[in-house]
Amino acid sequence: MANDISNRFNDLLDSGDEFFKNFGRPLMNLSDSFKELRSDVQETETDYTVAIDVPGVDKKDISIDFKDNTLTVSAKRQSFTDRSDKDGNMIASERSSGRFTRQYHFPDVDHEKIGAKYEDGVLTITLPKTTEGQSKTHKIEVQ
C-alpha cells in the first residue's frame, strides 16, 4: 500500500509540466546538508569563533582536536531507525547515519585555552589568539 502511494506520487511528479517535475523532490535530499557541517567563522582581535550546525548528534559523538594550527571537528550520527513494515514498505527515508569531518586552519592559537560548547544542535568553539606559535596536539572537551 505504501509503495503504491509513493509510486503514484512519483508518477504525478514525472508527468506533465516541467515546473512540476521536481516539485517536492528537494525534500528527499535534506540529509545531505548534515554531511557539509555548515559553519560560521568569526575573528576578533582576541579570538576566533566557529559555530557549526550538527543537528541530531549527541555530544558524546563529537570529537574536536587541534594540531599544527588545524582544528579538526568530527561528528557521528546514528539516528536512523528502520520504520518499514513487515513487507519492507517505506514511502521515504530522509535520515542518514555516518561520520563527518571538517578542518579549519587558524594561526597563532593558544591551544590550552580552546573551549567548546554544544547547545540546540550548534557546536560553538572559541579559539583564543596568542602571539606564540604552538604545534602540540590538544584534545578539546565539549561542554
Side-chain angles (χ1 to χ4, degrees), residues 13-69:
L13 294 176
D14 288 336
S15 64
D17 195 339
E18 284 294 316
F19 175 77
F20 293 104
K21 275 200 177 202
N22 291 315
F23 186 75
R25 293 217 176 158
L27 296 176
M28 300 297 189
N29 296 320
L30 289 177
S31 62
D32 290 340
S33 65
F34 176 76
K35 295 176 186 176
E36 297 174 14
L37 292 176
R38 296 176 187 243
S39 60
D40 296 326
V41 180
Q42 295 179 324
E43 179 181 12
T44 67
E45 289 183 23
T46 59
D47 60 27
Y48 302 98
T49 302
V50 182
I52 306 169
D53 290 340
V54 283
V57 175
D58 288 330
K59 181 171 79 170
K60 66 178 178 49
D61 293 328
I62 298 172
S63 174
I64 306 169
D65 292 298
F66 190 79
K67 179 180 181 181
D68 297 328
N69 294 328

Side-chain angles (χ1 to χ4, degrees), residues 48 81-82 121 124 132 136:
Y48 302 98
T81 303
D82 185 5
T124 304
E132 301 173 20
K136 292 175 18 181

